[in-house]
Amino acid sequence: MTETAPLDLRNRAADALRACGTDVPFGDDVPAMSPIDGTVLYTLRASSPDEVTAAIESARHAFSQWRAVPAPVRGALVRRLGELLTEHKRSLADLVTIEAGKIPSEALGEVQEMIDVCEFAVGISRQLYGRTMPSERPGHRLMETWHPLGVVGVISAFNFPVAVWAWNAAIAFVCGDPVVWKPSELTPLTALACDALVRRAAAETGAPDGLHSVLIGSGPVGEQLVDDPRVALVSATGSVRMGREVGPRVAARFGRCLLELGGNNAAVVAPSADLDLTVRGVVFAAAGTAGQRCTTLRRLIVHSSIVETVVDRVADAYRQLRVGDPFEDGVLVGPLIRERSWAAMTSALDHARAAGGTVVCGGERVDRDGVYASPALVRMPEQAAVVREETFAPILYVLSYDTLDEAIALHNDVPQGLASAIFTLDQREAERFLAADGSDCGIANVNIGTSGAEIGGAFGGEKDTGGGRESGSDSWKAYMRRATNTVNYSDQLPLAQGVHFE
Ligand code: UN1
């Protein structure tokens, strides 16, 4: 395959949008740009404040109908959406590559993640279980029922422009909630394509109008969504800085918040680790998606007896990584999303050097249109301030340790708590890492990297990562409200706790 020219990109995007039946709101506000070469594909119109209000009002209206539709019937919408996503997988993946710069395999994987979560949500639509508890009173039943919550506002980031939306939307729909989505202003086209498919699925399955809408724009549009009391749950993915703004604002109006913020993910490599497997796991987790996943591996904590070997082997693998146009065969590392990312990367590397670090390989700008950088591998004498920060670029810092306690202490000594891993063949070490006094992250893995989670588990993390859980397991509970019901089927009225009132 040859390198993509600007015109090819625009045609390819146009084909994909057309295939998905997308109605693009052309205008002058938001440039839809491809990081592949930095060209602006289209310029879109931002949603006006009135349009934001109208979208939320339509969602409110849809809620009054949708909440009364039985959950397994709601599942039919999501089943159809999953089919449409499957049918348009290639077009959606093209848009992900064009707008987010992911290599096609990862872009297809992202669309697959949407399909998977639709399948999961359809199953969940028949499993919105409440508990029954034994009542302390004779002739009484105590139980809980889960009801739809209300309008869900989804704010998503450029790096997973559609999968993270689907985690929220598919589950919200089966839970009886409409969705108003503000995608990253860096990836509006991909969002509009998904919206077109949801609308089609809704029309075909008789779901109400207004169940889903997309808002185009940046900060102010998001703020309006965050502050609107009609939005029952705000599910936001992005930086810690964004989360610090969103969290208190939603809390101030007693809304519900689900935050999925930054990570500073580490892997411990123990002396018994299978190094062939470890190196493969590390390279995918650290350099994949050009280091722009929230689960990207950013710190490698290696036992001092093997640190030289591990660094040599990872550096060898890094030197073979092809960086370039993601549509080109053999390329594994695509572009950074924007110039600002390169500035952050060089600044972090400067700070690392100033703190005594050595750049073993990478960290160089590739001379071509767009922002391309070779993934950097950096030896650090200690966990300096720069290592404790998340830099959204491909930098892997290597630290060494002597005892597992020391490794775990280093591992946990960062503000973020998303994903973590240990590479070891020693069961005691593996179990210790997963135990209460081991990794403090929401995701803790053994013998696989930190990124690439399946949708079946709950996804999210602790500390500055925000505490939210999305996607699998019982994450659906965040999208519903719980009612506790006590039913008296006797002809007596005993009071709880033995209280007498007569
Ligand atoms: C993100 O980067 O915001 O585990 C989500 C992973 C993906 C999701 C990442 N399934 O890497």
Side-chain angles (χ1 to χ4, degrees):
M1 199 184 279
T2 53
E3 290 193 32
T4 29
L7 194 59
D8 293 343
L9 284 180
R10 193 168 294 132
N11 289 341
R12 207 160 172 159
D15 286 348
L17 291 165
R18 206 174 308 114
C20 296
T22 319
D23 192 9
V24 180
F26 297 107
D28 305 314
D29 311 308
V30 179
M33 199 203 73
S34 176
I36 295 177
D37 60 6
T39 50
V40 174
L41 301 163
Y42 298 108
T43 311
L44 311 189
R45 196 171 57 75
S47 306
S48 68
D50 283 351
E51 284 169 326
V52 176
T53 302
I56 298 170
E57 193 45 44
S58 305
R60 267 305 295 180
H61 189 71
F63 178 59
S64 59
Q65 300 166 40
W66 191 237
R67 66 183 169 188
V69 174
V73 178
R74 297 194 294 250
L77 161 70
V78 177
R79 184 183 304 113
R80 183 65 189 131
L81 175 61
E83 287 167 4
L84 290 173
L85 294 172
T86 307
E87 209 177 291
H88 295 89
K89 188 171 180 182
R90 169 59 66 181
S91 301
L92 291 165
D94 268 1
L95 289 170
V96 171
T97 298
I98 292 168
E99 279 196 308
K102 289 190 187 187
I103 60 170
S105 171
E106 288 192 56
L108 286 164
E110 170 150 12
V111 181
Q112 186 59 44
E113 199 163 334
M114 292 204 279
I115 297 164
D116 291 345
V117 80
C118 284
E119 202 170 280
F120 177 83
V122 173
I124 283 288
S125 73
R126 290 186 185 269
Q127 299 173 77
L128 302 172
Y129 300 132
R131 297 168 188 243
T132 57
M133 306 82 171
S135 169
E136 66 190 51
R137 288 171 281 187
H140 283 58
R141 189 153 70 91
L142 185 55
M143 63 179 190
E144 61 188 18
T145 316
W146 291 88
H147 295 299
L149 181 69
V151 178
V152 175
V154 176
I155 297 177
S156 60
F158 80 86
N159 65 328
F160 271 83
V162 285
V164 173
W165 159 76
W167 295 350
N168 285 280
I171 305 280
F173 289 151
V174 299
C175 289
D177 302 333
V179 171
V180 181
W181 179 20
K182 199 214 82 69
S184 163
E185 66 272 28
L186 302 173
T187 53
L189 298 176
T190 320
L192 289 165
C194 288
D195 179 58
L197 296 178
V198 178
R199 284 171 191 266
R200 192 171 143 195
E204 288 178 12
T205 55
D209 287 343
L211 196 63
H212 187 260
S213 43
V214 167
L215 305 175
I216 300 298
S218 52
V221 174
E223 280 169 30
Q224 205 182 331
L225 191 62
V226 163
D227 289 338
D228 195 309
R230 292 169 299 180
V231 178
L233 169 69
V234 176
S235 175
T237 301
S239 64
V240 173
R241 189 187 51 77
M242 180 275 286
R244 280 197 208 288
E245 281 184 36
V246 170
R249 287 171 84 141
V250 177
R253 60 173 178 85
F254 298 112
R256 211 186 272 182
C257 217
L258 199 165
L259 297 176
E260 203 252 285
L261 311 174
N264 191 351
N265 318 299
V268 173
V269 185
S272 65
D274 170 341
L275 287 191
D276 290 339
L277 181 147
T278 303
V279 171
R280 281 174 46 213
V282 164
V283 173
F284 171 66
T289 331
Q292 298 171 112
R293 290 194 191 209
C294 57
T295 49
T296 289
L297 179 64
R298 308 202 179 278
R299 299 177 295 136
L300 201 56
I301 303 169
V302 190
H303 192 267
S304 53
S305 63
I306 53 167
V307 68
E308 305 301 334
T309 313
V310 169
V311 167
D312 286 350
R313 293 193 56 175
V314 173
D316 273 353
Y318 264 36
R319 290 191 187 100
Q320 285 162 40
L321 287 173
R322 269 189 63 199
V323 181
D325 181 337
F327 277 126
E328 224 180 292
D329 282 342
V331 164
L332 290 179
V333 179
L336 296 179
I337 192 71
R338 54 185 156 186
E339 204 57 53
R340 207 194 294 167
S341 313
W342 169 247
M345 183 168 177
T346 46
S347 156
L349 292 175
D350 287 346
H351 278 96
R353 285 191 198 93
T358 311
V359 179
V360 180
C361 67
E364 277 142 20
R365 179 85 180 242
V366 178
D367 183 23
R368 57 183 300 148
D369 286 343
V371 185
Y372 291 83
S374 53
L377 182 67
V378 185
R379 275 295 286 275
M380 292 300 293
E382 60 183 12
Q383 188 149 264
V386 69
V387 181
R388 299 178 72 252
E389 279 167 24
E390 179 193 42
T391 301
F392 221 61
I395 303 177
L396 179 61
Y397 299 108
V398 183
L399 302 158
S400 64
Y401 76 91
D402 290 315
T403 66
L404 188 60
D405 278 343
E406 193 192 330
I408 290 172
L410 271 172
H411 177 277
N412 292 346
D413 186 25
V414 292
Q416 313 81 353
L418 181 55
S420 61
I422 188 167
F423 288 90
T424 180
L425 298 182
D426 179 328
Q427 193 182 4
R428 284 183 181 158
E429 287 184 333
E431 292 292 338
R432 170 72 206 290
F433 188 74
L434 303 183
D437 56 354
S439 160
D440 63 2
C441 290
I443 295 169
N445 297 335
V446 177
N447 292 328
I448 67 161
T450 51
S451 67
E454 300 174 23
I455 59 92
F459 184 96
E462 305 302 333
K463 304 193 290 186
D464 280 7
T465 302
R469 291 294 187 280
E470 294 170 296
S471 190
S473 185
D474 63 353
S475 304
W476 59 269
K477 289 180 175 171
Y479 303 80
M480 300 199 87
R481 66 182 173 86
R482 179 194 329 232
T484 300
N485 314 125
T486 309
V487 179
N488 176 7
Y489 59 92
S490 75
D491 59 0
Q492 303 295 306
L493 194 66
L495 300 178
Q497 298 90 37
V499 172
H500 286 281
F501 197 77
E502 54 196 310

mmCIF file of all heavy atoms in Angstrom, residues 427-442:
data_model
loop_
_atom_site.group_PDB
_atom_site.id
_atom_site.type_symbol
_atom_site.label_atom_id
_atom_site.label_comp_id
_atom_site.label_asym_id
_atom_site.label_seq_id
_atom_site.Cartn_x
_atom_site.Cartn_y
_atom_site.Cartn_z
ATOM 1 N N GLN A 427 3.987 -17.860 41.825
ATOM 2 C CA GLN A 427 2.596 -17.651 42.224
ATOM 3 C C GLN A 427 2.462 -16.750 43.452
ATOM 4 O O GLN A 427 1.525 -15.951 43.557
ATOM 5 C CB GLN A 427 1.933 -19.002 42.495
ATOM 6 C CG GLN A 427 0.433 -18.887 42.613
ATOM 7 C CD GLN A 427 -0.226 -20.212 42.922
ATOM 8 O OE1 GLN A 427 0.462 -21.217 43.115
ATOM 9 N NE2 GLN A 427 -1.544 -20.221 42.958
ATOM 10 N N ARG A 428 3.427 -16.888 44.356
ATOM 11 C CA ARG A 428 3.347 -16.038 45.553
ATOM 12 C C ARG A 428 3.429 -14.570 45.175
ATOM 13 O O ARG A 428 2.700 -13.727 45.695
ATOM 14 C CB ARG A 428 4.496 -16.354 46.507
ATOM 15 C CG ARG A 428 4.290 -17.624 47.261
ATOM 16 C CD ARG A 428 5.430 -17.794 48.222
ATOM 17 N NE ARG A 428 5.286 -19.029 48.962
ATOM 18 C CZ ARG A 428 6.279 -19.662 49.557
ATOM 19 N NH1 ARG A 428 7.506 -19.169 49.494
ATOM 20 N NH2 ARG A 428 6.064 -20.758 50.214
ATOM 21 N N GLU A 429 4.343 -14.259 44.265
ATOM 22 C CA GLU A 429 4.494 -12.858 43.856
ATOM 23 C C GLU A 429 3.229 -12.371 43.136
ATOM 24 O O GLU A 429 2.761 -11.255 43.368
ATOM 25 C CB GLU A 429 5.689 -12.709 42.915
ATOM 26 C CG GLU A 429 7.023 -12.827 43.610
ATOM 27 C CD GLU A 429 8.168 -12.564 42.644
ATOM 28 O OE1 GLU A 429 8.011 -12.784 41.430
ATOM 29 O OE2 GLU A 429 9.235 -12.150 43.124
ATOM 30 N N ALA A 430 2.706 -13.223 42.259
ATOM 31 C CA ALA A 430 1.515 -12.833 41.494
ATOM 32 C C ALA A 430 0.357 -12.542 42.439
ATOM 33 O O ALA A 430 -0.316 -11.512 42.333
ATOM 34 C CB ALA A 430 1.143 -13.933 40.508
ATOM 35 N N GLU A 431 0.148 -13.461 43.390
ATOM 36 C CA GLU A 431 -0.979 -13.286 44.323
ATOM 37 C C GLU A 431 -0.777 -12.068 45.211
ATOM 38 O O GLU A 431 -1.716 -11.343 45.523
ATOM 39 C CB GLU A 431 -1.186 -14.551 45.157
ATOM 40 C CG GLU A 431 -1.688 -15.741 44.354
ATOM 41 C CD GLU A 431 -3.111 -15.569 43.820
ATOM 42 O OE1 GLU A 431 -3.868 -14.763 44.361
ATOM 43 O OE2 GLU A 431 -3.450 -16.253 42.836
ATOM 44 N N ARG A 432 0.449 -11.843 45.632
ATOM 45 C CA ARG A 432 0.727 -10.665 46.469
ATOM 46 C C ARG A 432 0.389 -9.384 45.709
ATOM 47 O O ARG A 432 -0.191 -8.432 46.241
ATOM 48 C CB ARG A 432 2.205 -10.684 46.872
ATOM 49 C CG ARG A 432 2.713 -9.439 47.533
ATOM 50 C CD ARG A 432 2.185 -9.280 48.957
ATOM 51 N NE ARG A 432 2.152 -7.887 49.358
ATOM 52 C CZ ARG A 432 3.219 -7.139 49.595
ATOM 53 N NH1 ARG A 432 4.439 -7.652 49.521
ATOM 54 N NH2 ARG A 432 3.099 -5.879 49.946
ATOM 55 N N PHE A 433 0.729 -9.362 44.414
ATOM 56 C CA PHE A 433 0.463 -8.184 43.589
ATOM 57 C C PHE A 433 -1.044 -7.924 43.477
ATOM 58 O O PHE A 433 -1.489 -6.784 43.424
ATOM 59 C CB PHE A 433 1.073 -8.374 42.197
ATOM 60 C CG PHE A 433 1.023 -7.141 41.338
ATOM 61 C CD1 PHE A 433 1.885 -6.073 41.578
ATOM 62 C CD2 PHE A 433 0.118 -7.027 40.288
ATOM 63 C CE1 PHE A 433 1.838 -4.925 40.789
ATOM 64 C CE2 PHE A 433 0.061 -5.887 39.499
ATOM 65 C CZ PHE A 433 0.928 -4.833 39.749
ATOM 66 N N LEU A 434 -1.825 -9.018 43.465
ATOM 67 C CA LEU A 434 -3.282 -8.874 43.324
ATOM 68 C C LEU A 434 -3.980 -8.670 44.668
ATOM 69 O O LEU A 434 -5.183 -8.400 44.709
ATOM 70 C CB LEU A 434 -3.873 -10.120 42.645
ATOM 71 C CG LEU A 434 -3.304 -10.493 41.275
ATOM 72 C CD1 LEU A 434 -4.031 -11.702 40.716
ATOM 73 C CD2 LEU A 434 -3.423 -9.321 40.297
ATOM 74 N N ALA A 435 -3.248 -8.806 45.755
ATOM 75 C CA ALA A 435 -3.859 -8.768 47.094
ATOM 76 C C ALA A 435 -4.117 -7.323 47.546
ATOM 77 O O ALA A 435 -3.737 -6.367 46.886
ATOM 78 C CB ALA A 435 -2.955 -9.480 48.090
ATOM 79 N N ALA A 436 -4.764 -7.209 48.703
ATOM 80 C CA ALA A 436 -5.150 -5.895 49.243
ATOM 81 C C ALA A 436 -3.942 -4.978 49.434
ATOM 82 O O ALA A 436 -4.051 -3.759 49.306
ATOM 83 C CB ALA A 436 -5.884 -6.081 50.566
ATOM 84 N N ASP A 437 -2.798 -5.581 49.754
ATOM 85 C CA ASP A 437 -1.598 -4.752 49.937
ATOM 86 C C ASP A 437 -0.691 -4.808 48.698
ATOM 87 O O ASP A 437 0.498 -4.546 48.779
ATOM 88 C CB ASP A 437 -0.836 -5.165 51.203
ATOM 89 C CG ASP A 437 -0.473 -6.638 51.208
ATOM 90 O OD1 ASP A 437 -0.900 -7.374 50.283
ATOM 91 O OD2 ASP A 437 0.249 -7.071 52.130
ATOM 92 N N GLY A 438 -1.281 -5.153 47.563
ATOM 93 C CA GLY A 438 -0.529 -5.159 46.310
ATOM 94 C C GLY A 438 -0.851 -3.927 45.479
ATOM 95 O O GLY A 438 -0.888 -2.815 46.016
ATOM 96 N N SER A 439 -1.105 -4.126 44.203
ATOM 97 C CA SER A 439 -1.427 -3.007 43.314
ATOM 98 C C SER A 439 -2.678 -2.282 43.813
ATOM 99 O O SER A 439 -3.667 -2.917 44.189
ATOM 100 C CB SER A 439 -1.702 -3.538 41.904
ATOM 101 O OG SER A 439 -2.448 -2.592 41.165
ATOM 102 N N ASP A 440 -2.651 -0.947 43.776
ATOM 103 C CA ASP A 440 -3.822 -0.170 44.231
ATOM 104 C C ASP A 440 -4.683 0.295 43.054
ATOM 105 O O ASP A 440 -5.462 1.236 43.188
ATOM 106 C CB ASP A 440 -3.362 1.023 45.074
ATOM 107 C CG ASP A 440 -2.506 2.001 44.269
ATOM 108 O OD1 ASP A 440 -2.295 1.777 43.061
ATOM 109 O OD2 ASP A 440 -2.052 3.010 44.857
ATOM 110 N N CYS A 441 -4.541 -0.372 41.916
ATOM 111 C CA CYS A 441 -5.251 0.072 40.699
ATOM 112 C C CYS A 441 -6.591 -0.632 40.522
ATOM 113 O O CYS A 441 -6.838 -1.687 41.101
ATOM 114 C CB CYS A 441 -4.387 -0.230 39.476
ATOM 115 S SG CYS A 441 -2.941 0.829 39.392
ATOM 116 N N GLY A 442 -7.418 -0.068 39.652
ATOM 117 C CA GLY A 442 -8.692 -0.699 39.305
ATOM 118 C C GLY A 442 -8.511 -1.915 38.423
ATOM 119 O O GLY A 442 -9.387 -2.766 38.335
#
